Every structure is written in structure tokens, then in C-alpha cells.
Amino acid sequence: MAAPSVSVPLLVPDLPDRDELWPYLRRIDESRHYSNFGPLVHELEQRFTACFNERSGGAPVALTSVSSCTLGLELALGALQLPPRSKVLVPALTFVATATAVLRAGHLPVVADVDERSWALTPEIAARALREADCRAVLPVATFGQPVPLPEWHRFEQASGVPVLVDAAGAFGSQWLDAGGTLVFSLHATKALSSGEGGLVVSTDAELIRRVRQMSNFGINLDAGAAVPVGVSHLAGTNAKMSEYHAAVGLAAFDRWPRRAPLRRERWLAQRARLDEAADGQLIWQGGEAPAAPVLMSLRWSGAGRRDALERHCARLGVVTRRWYQPLLPRHALAPGMLQRLATPVADMLAEDLVGVPFFPDLECRQLDTIAQAVRLTVDEFRTLPA
Ligand SMILES: *Cc1c(COP(=O)(O)O)cnc(C)c1O
């Protein structure tokens, strides 16, 4: 049987078009600078730094661009200069890159549970985990783009002495440095603000950012005031620099952000209300404030078989769904010994019930009708059964 045609794609990237890119591309042609911290990368970093400084409550913010969030995480972990094979705490419910960054930095991911309301690793869960595993760093995740409470994590860091790095990949526009800390963002095409591929490491620790920047350029020292001469490498770096072409896309995306971010939030809230209505209030949403610029829509439908039934009805109507962040980290086919696993009863339960439905800012009315129809069919299918 032929697969049904797609009536509602899962996600449509929202990037600037060629007309919006044109002024930046001209500048590349004129400067003939293509990478190695060129003028467009500088401008992008300045604009993002100003944006974070406005909301940091006074602490000056340092920032460096990288070629992806995953490399940003790897280098930020490297910049902590932990002993090799240090244990790093990560949540079970996250994109696999959170764990691969830890592995590639030469450390051991220790997988912890998440909170039933926020679907995220919390300082309380981390404090409990530290009694079971001697972790040298914690990597909380802004689950599905929902910001983490940075002041609480800052207090955790002060109390435990264990450094915290936030995987804020999908949380640009929602997650700010409103306390001391380090955030790593993705500018991948599937995120709300994109340079095609790219990332940002943002921190109140200027020295950490200096090391990440140096490591993103093979570890070569470019600072005349440093102990080693300019041009000499003393850190095991890599090439994780953002090119001028990617910066051009990022700058054009930044130009349209004041229009696109509020549209995302408005459409997302309207879609959530519509699906709630279709589901007779049976859907469970991630707790807390809705993100300022939502990237995707993940919902929870508990009760045996309901999530799977929704997936079936969606598939039949050509609505693409995805179990975002699944399988859970411990279920990936990583070799034995590559992860240490703590008990994760909440994440295991959420994995039974969570599913992502299509969301993107230009989703049409009739497409939303189709998603709502799949939800309605699921409600009807279970109407005769006890909840
Ligand atoms: C998207 C995402 C990443 C990966 O970002 P890249 O820029 O593609 O490397 C990492 N972690 C989480 C939670 C993500 O959502």
C-alpha cells in the first residue's frame, strides 16, 4: 500500500530568503573574508551580546559563535578542564547530542531522571544524583525549548561547587543569563533563529568564553597578552568556527526576529488551545511559561494506548508526528560502559505518553484542522473506555 501523502509536515524551517540575505552576501564579496572570525561573525557576536546584556541584570556577558551547539557543548566542557573520564550529569530526556558532546569531550555521561511537571532535570534531582554518582559537572537541558530557572541552578552551583552548563539549544529568545552561568544555543535550521548551522556559547565567565573561542580555532592563541606566544597552540582544539556565509544567514535571521518570534508564540498558543478543545482537556502540557519563541510542540496523552492511537490517526491523515528526544538516552545503541544510568522512573513514564505534532509559524488553518481532527478521532476511539 502506498504511504499517504503528507498533508501536514512536522516542521518547516523559517529562514531568511535570498532577498534578505543579499546585503550581507554583497559585504562578503566586497571584503573577501570568508571565515576566521571575519567582519560578519564579529557583527553577529556583537548584536547577540548586546541582546543578552540587556537582560542579564547587570553582569557583563561574554559570547562566542561556533559551528554548532553540539561542538559548543563539547568545547565548553573542554574549557572546564575537568580530569579525563569525569562524570557529567545529563537528563534522560534530551536530544542525543547532549550525551555525545560529553563523550567527545572525554567524559562519562551519567543519566538522571527529569521532573514530572517541567520534563526537565532540576537542581533537586541533580542534588540527589550527586549522592549516587561523583559528578564533576551538570548539563541541564532547556527541554523542548522551555528555559531552565538559571537563578536556581546558580544557587546549586554555589552550594555544590559543581559547575553547570546549560544545553539551551532550542531556547533562544526564552533563556537569558539572569544569573551567573553558561548557556549553549543552537542556530540549526530546525530552531527558531537559524544561521543554517551554527551555535552560540554565552557566559558570565569571560575566561571560559576565551578558552572556547581559542579551542574553536585549533587551540591557537590569538591573544598578545597571554602567557604563550601568538600563533602557538596549547589547548587540544578543533575547527568549530562559524563561516561568514553562516553569519550572513544568522544576521538576516536576526533582522526578521522581531516579527517572527511573537508570531511563533501567538500561533503556538492558539494551536495549543485548539488541540485542548479537540481533546476535551485530556492533553497534558509541559509545566511553566510557554517559550517566547516555541520551536516544536510536544504533548503528553496518558492512559494506555492513547498516544499511539493519536500517532495512528495522524499517520492516516498525512500528519507527520515525531517522538522528540526518543529513544531516551539509555536506550540509544551506545556501547556498554559509555553511559552510567541512574533510576529514571519519570522519564520512562513520559516516554510512554509523549509525542510531537507539527508546529511551525506558517502552519495553515486547514492544516491545524487536520491535526485537530486526528485528536478528535483519538478521543472518540476511547470514549467508551474508562480513562
Ligand atoms: C538541536 C539540539 C541540539 C543540537 O544542536 P546542533 O546545533 O544541531 O548541534 C542539542 N541539544 C538539544 C537539546 C537540541 O534540541
Side-chain angles (χ1 to χ4, degrees):
M1 204 173 80
S5 62
V6 170
S7 60
V8 193
L10 185 65
L11 188 153
V12 177
D14 185 35
L15 273 82
D17 66 16
R18 59 192 165 184
D19 293 330
E20 294 169 296
L21 285 176
W22 184 239
Y24 295 106
L25 296 179
R26 274 187 83 123
R27 281 173 55 190
I28 298 177
D29 291 345
E30 280 155 21
S31 75
R32 302 207 147 229
H33 211 128
Y34 301 99
S35 189
N36 293 5
F37 309 120
L40 294 188
V41 162
H42 269 290
E43 182 176 334
L44 178 133
E45 290 177 342
Q46 271 170 3
R47 285 168 75 175
F48 278 105
T49 303
C51 180
F52 279 97
N53 268 324
E54 266 173 39
R55 293 167 183 83
S56 75
V61 164
L63 175 152
T64 191
S65 59
V66 280
S67 55
S68 72
C69 172
T70 307
L71 274 164
L73 289 168
E74 182 183 327
L75 297 187
L77 280 163
L80 293 177
Q81 300 181 318
L82 307 172
R85 287 286 287 174
S86 289
K87 293 183 177 184
V88 177
L89 196 70
V90 299
L93 182 69
T94 184
F95 185 52
V96 71
T98 315
T100 59
V102 173
L103 289 165
R104 296 189 63 84
H107 302 307
L108 175 71
V110 175
V111 180
D113 208 0
V114 295
D115 173 64
E116 187 173 348
R117 199 179 96 84
S118 67
W119 306 348
L121 177 64
T122 62
E124 296 72 49
I125 296 171
R128 257 183 277 128
L130 289 187
R131 288 190 225 109
E132 284 182 68
D134 180 24
C135 295
R136 300 294 182 96
V138 181
L139 233 169
V141 175
T143 311
F144 304 135
Q146 170 103 266
V148 307
L150 209 59
E152 284 175 36
W153 278 110
H154 189 60
R155 283 196 292 279
F156 167 90
E157 200 171 41
Q158 304 280 301
S160 65
V162 177
V164 173
L165 282 177
V166 181
D167 177 348
F172 181 74
S174 304
Q175 181 79 64
W176 302 105
L177 267 174
D178 51 353
T182 302
L183 310 172
V184 186
F185 293 93
S186 171
L187 302 178
H188 186 263
T190 52
K191 307 300 200 245
L193 193 160
S194 175
S195 58
E197 288 274 11
L200 300 171
V201 187
V202 192
S203 182
T204 47
D205 180 348
E207 177 55 25
L208 181 129
I209 293 297
R210 201 191 58 72
R211 282 203 290 270
V212 171
R213 192 173 184 77
Q214 186 172 339
M215 283 162 65
S216 75
N217 186 39
F218 315 101
I220 295 170
N221 175 42
L222 297 176
D223 173 7
V228 294
V230 168
V232 167
S233 176
H234 65 109
L235 296 169
T238 185
N239 183 357
K241 296 186 299 290
M242 180 180 282
S243 79
E244 289 289 279
Y245 286 109
H246 289 91
V249 181
L251 284 164
F254 200 92
D255 293 338
R256 67 211 297 277
W257 181 250
R259 283 174 282 127
R260 300 308 286 177
L263 181 73
R264 269 184 189 271
R265 183 175 160 91
E266 186 189 303
R267 293 278 170 93
W268 193 89
L269 289 170
Q271 177 167 329
R272 188 173 77 172
R274 177 72 195 282
L275 299 188
D276 265 336
E277 191 195 312
D280 292 342
Q282 293 177 33
L283 304 178
I284 303 168
W285 301 96
Q286 191 174 8
E289 246 304 90
V295 176
L296 46 80
M297 181 171 277
S298 230
L299 57 86
R300 186 174 167 211
W301 205 336
S302 49
R306 282 164 176 78
R307 184 270 309 267
D308 299 24
L310 175 63
E311 288 174 326
R312 231 184 316 107
H313 290 296
C314 282
R316 213 174 294 132
L317 294 169
V319 174
V320 182
T321 60
R322 172 87 51 87
R323 295 179 186 179
W324 294 114
Y325 295 171
Q326 291 202 52
L328 297 177
L329 279 189
R331 307 246 163 97
H332 280 280
L334 294 165
M338 284 177 94
L339 292 177
Q340 180 182 336
R341 174 176 191 180
L342 305 178
T344 59
V346 175
D348 293 343
M349 174 183 74
L350 292 174
E352 299 290 313
D353 298 343
L354 281 176
V355 65
V357 293
F359 172 74
F360 45 92
D362 294 323
L363 193 124
E364 293 164 17
C365 271
R366 60 176 178 79
Q367 293 179 312
L368 180 51
D369 290 344
T370 311
I371 307 171
Q373 190 190 344
V375 167
R376 197 72 219 162
L377 287 167
T378 308
V379 170
D380 291 343
E381 181 180 333
F382 285 88
R383 193 175 295 285
T384 53
L385 298 172

